[in-house]
Amino acid sequence: MKSGKFKKAVSFFALASVFTMAGCQKDEILEEAVPTPSEPTATSSAVAGKYIVVLKDGSTSSESLRERVLGAHRIKRERIKQVFDGASDGFAGSLSREEVEALKADKDVAYIEPEQAVMLGKPLKTTTNSTTSTSSTTTTTTTTTSTQEIPWGVARVGYGDGTGKTVWVIDSGVDTDHPDLNVDVARSKSFISGVTSVEDGYGHGTGVAGIIGAKNNNIGVVGVAANATIVALRVFDDTGYGTLTRIYSALNHVYKNGKPGDVVNMSLRVDGSTLLDDLVKKTAARGIYIAIAAGNSYIDCKNDSPARVVAPNVYVVSNMDSYGKFNSTSNFGTSVKFAAPGTAIRSTSKNGTYANGNGTSFAAPHVAGILALNGGRVNSQGTVVGDPDGKADPIALK
């Protein structure tokens, strides 16, 4: 689906952060989500006529159950754009209101939610040896050099050898040829219909990957779990657009193919989604650790998915600066487990470059790297200053 269709269907709102905030004011970074009751309702991001249907666990195969449900409600297969199976089985596609109501009453249906269009903020403008100043941040991009540095955030939380550790990055893809990253191309996968490439045309996913696992190799930067294996699951296209279906399908893929001890990084958010929250919990229950960005609207993240999830092996992360102060854009709340560096963070970017950025998108991967190194244990080094919810988040430490 082209980005123009999303523009018509929904109001724009961002993920946990964008690698450059150039042109993005605070109120554009993340909208406050609509609270989701037990029976989800449409939100401003809903795509008209498109739905995700998740089936209950049953004794029959997922394919047989899907066929029974589709046949019982006379839903033509050409209107089903995607099917999935794993922790949760189901399908996504075009449905009428009458079909939605009938499916809600079906004993084999667990959830029905409107499709959501999700949009990153403005993309990083990659130029060589340039500095761009805006009212919200400064973004610098450089080419690869023979000088390696340890970014302040990595130095603050600590780092080590992540060789052999697997981190699944659900994002805009990753620059698979970046000299500072170890990307498992064979296991990487695109969930964008008609697109097989996982190459990052936007820059966000590559930035996340570098914080997690940039090599300790005398060039560029060092990641928290240096040389960790990055598996790119691409759900956002070159313009920063994605959908709830893609995100859900990518996490379902991790549930099926990931192993206990693996780590997932989700630097993203959607309006409250019960089906996504449920899948996060099921995946984490398999012994897979999940790092999640809290978001950047300076609000309680209790209505955002997956940041509102409270469960074992799930780590929601807020953003602090180099002084240990809570960033004035970071979300907060009882679901947040740790604060981590997310302000003026340098990392890898697309096309073999490096860049600086801000946001909880870059705080979460610090914790993802720690989880990979320590097998799910995150230590702490005091608490963040100025946490607005009154309960200071512990600062993450290897």
Side-chain angles (χ1 to χ4, degrees):
M1 184 177 291
K2 295 185 181 299
S3 59
K5 294 182 180 179
F6 287 127
K7 292 179 181 178
K8 294 177 182 178
V10 302
S11 61
F12 290 171
F13 61 103
L15 288 184
S17 74
V18 62
F19 202 49
T20 172
M21 296 301 181
C24 293
Q25 300 303 312
K26 177 181 174 183
D27 60 353
E28 293 176 326
I29 299 172
L30 193 66
E31 287 183 358
E32 183 170 353
V34 177
T36 301
S38 57
E39 184 64 40
T41 56
T43 68
S44 61
S45 62
V47 180
K50 307 291 184 182
Y51 292 86
I52 305 171
V53 180
V54 175
L55 305 177
K56 293 179 181 177
D57 296 333
S59 57
T60 58
S61 71
S62 59
E63 183 177 1
S64 298
L65 189 58
R66 276 197 302 271
E67 292 304 319
R68 188 209 71 75
V69 171
L70 291 171
H73 300 283
R74 298 181 180 180
I75 299 171
K76 294 181 179 180
R77 287 303 301 264
E78 57 263 30
R79 290 194 281 126
I80 303 306
K81 301 302 181 184
Q82 188 161 353
V83 298
F84 39 81
D85 57 79
S88 301
D89 305 322
F91 54 89
S94 302
L95 298 172
S96 68
R97 289 187 178 183
E98 292 76 17
E99 288 168 335
V100 169
E101 292 304 315
L103 285 165
K104 287 179 180 179
D106 192 301
K107 62 181 179 59
D108 289 321
V109 173
Y111 307 111
I112 301 179
E113 290 186 11
E115 174 69 286
Q116 290 189 44
V118 186
M119 179 184 170
L120 282 164
K122 292 184 178 181
L124 179 67
K125 183 178 180 181
T126 304
T127 55
T128 303
N129 297 325
S130 68
T131 300
T132 304
S133 179
T134 74
S135 60
S136 57
T137 191
T138 299
T139 299
T140 305
T141 61
T142 62
T143 57
T144 303
T145 70
S146 59
T147 302
Q148 178 177 266
E149 69 174 89
I150 303 172
W152 81 263
V154 174
R156 179 66 179 266
V157 304
Y159 65 100
D161 183 8
T163 301
K165 307 294 184 179
T166 296
V167 183
W168 305 75
V169 177
I170 300 177
D171 214 293
S172 59
V174 175
D175 179 357
T176 61
D177 294 323
H178 201 294
D180 223 357
L181 294 175
N182 177 20
V183 183
D184 187 336
V185 177
R187 284 195 287 169
S188 296
K189 182 178 175 65
S190 170
F191 292 86
I192 302 172
S193 179
V195 177
T196 59
S197 173
V198 298
E199 293 299 332
D200 185 5
Y202 196 78
H204 191 272
T206 304
V208 166
I211 296 166
I212 294 167
K215 300 175 185 178
N216 192 353
N217 59 354
N218 297 319
I219 64 168
V221 296
V222 178
V224 174
N227 199 46
T229 299
I230 302 297
V231 182
L233 301 182
R234 188 182 180 202
V235 298
F236 297 96
D237 66 18
D238 290 354
T239 66
Y241 287 91
T243 66
L244 176 57
T245 295
R246 294 178 192 170
I247 295 167
Y248 188 87
S249 298
L251 187 57
N252 222 10
H253 181 78
V254 177
Y255 178 91
K256 289 193 299 181
N257 297 284
K259 298 178 180 178
D262 285 357
V263 178
V264 180
N265 191 91
M266 301 182 73
S267 288
L268 53 85
R269 56 82 59 192
V270 301
D271 286 349
S273 169
T274 304
L275 63 85
L276 181 60
D277 295 344
D278 180 64
L279 184 55
V280 167
K281 294 173 184 176
K282 287 181 177 179
T283 304
R286 291 198 60 225
I288 296 172
Y289 308 110
I290 305 179
I292 297 169
N296 306 295
S297 289
Y298 200 62
I299 58 172
D300 193 313
C301 57
K302 63 184 178 181
N303 295 320
D304 288 345
S305 294
R308 66 184 182 180
V309 174
V310 178
N313 299 334
V314 176
Y315 297 80
V316 180
V317 187
S318 61
N319 171 10
M320 73 170 198
D321 65 17
S322 60
Y323 298 99
K325 293 178 62 178
F326 198 90
N327 186 285
S328 62
T329 65
S330 178
N331 286 358
F332 48 86
T334 57
S335 62
V336 178
K337 284 191 177 179
F338 287 95
T343 305
I345 301 300
R346 188 172 187 236
S347 186
T348 49
S349 189
K350 65 179 183 176
N351 300 322
T353 63
Y354 297 86
N356 293 343
N358 302 307
T360 58
S361 274
F362 310 112
H366 285 85
V367 172
I370 294 172
L371 291 167
L373 285 178
N374 293 352
R377 186 183 74 256
V378 182
N379 297 309
S380 63
Q381 48 179 321
T383 56
V384 71
V385 176
D387 190 331
D389 62 19
K391 185 178 180 182
D393 299 331
I395 298 171
L397 176 68
K398 180 173 79 75

